Amino acid sequence: SHFMAANADGSKIYVPHRQLSFMSVIDTATKQVTKRIPDFRYECQGVCTAPDGNRVYQASSARPEISIIDPVSDSVVGKFKIEGLGEDFPPQLNRLRVSPDNRYLVVSFNQSRVAAVIDTEDPARQHLFKTEKGPMGIAFGADMKHAFVTNHDEGTISAIDLGAMKLDRACTTHIGPETMAFY
């Protein structure tokens, strides 16, 4: 769920192009590009699919903006801005992931040192958390009580308490944690 993402049944892969304003859709059976989704105003960056298969989310690298894509039509059906990041928004890596229960979308903003938790039913309900240096990878605990964000440049992992919507704690790793997964 970072630089490309498969849909729920694995039949399609969504590939954003970091310095371009479109995303390619690849049919996994034929290995062919079947569509370009061209409706992005700014460079494409991170992408993720919702576990229930109903949405694809794509983040701009040049604005705090998320596009919502309908995976049936492979077209942009909505956009929303992450509020509170300011108008002086530097181009940056973003990673995003939807929680296993489809309730939250978490986005990390690498240069801004922020993680955002967004309610997928009402994207205007947003919570911003100041992380340590270089937030990147995102994972969720099995009990869905916490979202975890790796801080690549700091060598830590931030824990966000999803019930209280507060930054809970951070644990130390080696420098460079980029991705994370729970099984």
Side-chain angles (χ1 to χ4, degrees):
S1 353
H2 304 301
F3 299 116
M4 67 175 97
N7 66 342
D9 67 8
S11 63
K12 293 190 270 190
I13 297 174
Y14 295 88
V15 183
H17 301 285
R18 188 170 176 191
Q19 296 181 331
L20 302 172
S21 60
F22 68 89
M23 183 161 51
S24 297
V25 182
I26 299 170
D27 181 303
T28 57
T30 64
K31 298 177 180 52
Q32 298 295 311
V33 173
T34 58
K35 186 167 184 176
R36 283 184 174 179
I37 305 174
D39 297 343
F40 306 114
R41 291 183 291 171
Y42 307 109
E43 295 176 357
C44 298
Q45 229 290 336
V47 63
C48 72
T49 55
D52 66 6
N54 289 326
R55 299 172 245 21
V56 177
Y57 296 96
Q58 182 272 322
S60 166
S61 64
R63 296 287 185 275
E65 182 177 274
I66 307 296
S67 297
I68 304 168
I69 297 158
D70 173 6
V72 175
S73 64
D74 286 331
S75 59
V76 176
V77 295
K79 294 176 190 283
F80 61 91
K81 185 176 179 183
I82 307 296
E83 299 297 336
L85 288 175
E87 295 304 315
D88 187 22
F89 183 81
Q92 57 193 292
L93 294 171
N94 343 73
R95 305 276 175 95
L96 56 169
R97 179 165 281 168
V98 179
S99 60
D101 63 1
N102 297 290
R103 185 170 176 193
Y104 301 111
L105 171 67
V106 178
V107 185
S108 63
F109 295 93
N110 187 266
Q111 293 299 313
S112 297
R113 297 171 62 173
V114 167
V117 178
I118 296 115
D119 184 317
T120 57
E121 294 302 314
D122 181 4
R125 288 200 308 239
Q126 304 175 1
H127 300 273
L128 296 184
F129 301 95
K130 196 70 175 168
T131 67
E132 296 181 31
K133 287 191 263 179
M136 291 184 94
I138 301 158
F140 296 89
D143 61 5
M144 283 306 305
K145 290 184 179 177
H146 289 90
F148 300 96
V149 179
T150 64
N151 300 304
H152 180 274
D153 300 345
E154 190 78 28
T156 61
I157 298 171
S158 296
I160 300 169
D161 181 325
L162 294 170
M165 278 303 166
K166 67 181 183 98
L167 203 54
D168 197 7
R169 62 187 180 276
C171 63
T172 303
T173 69
H174 292 286
I175 292 290
E178 205 169 301
T179 61
M180 193 172 19
F182 289 99
Y183 295 93

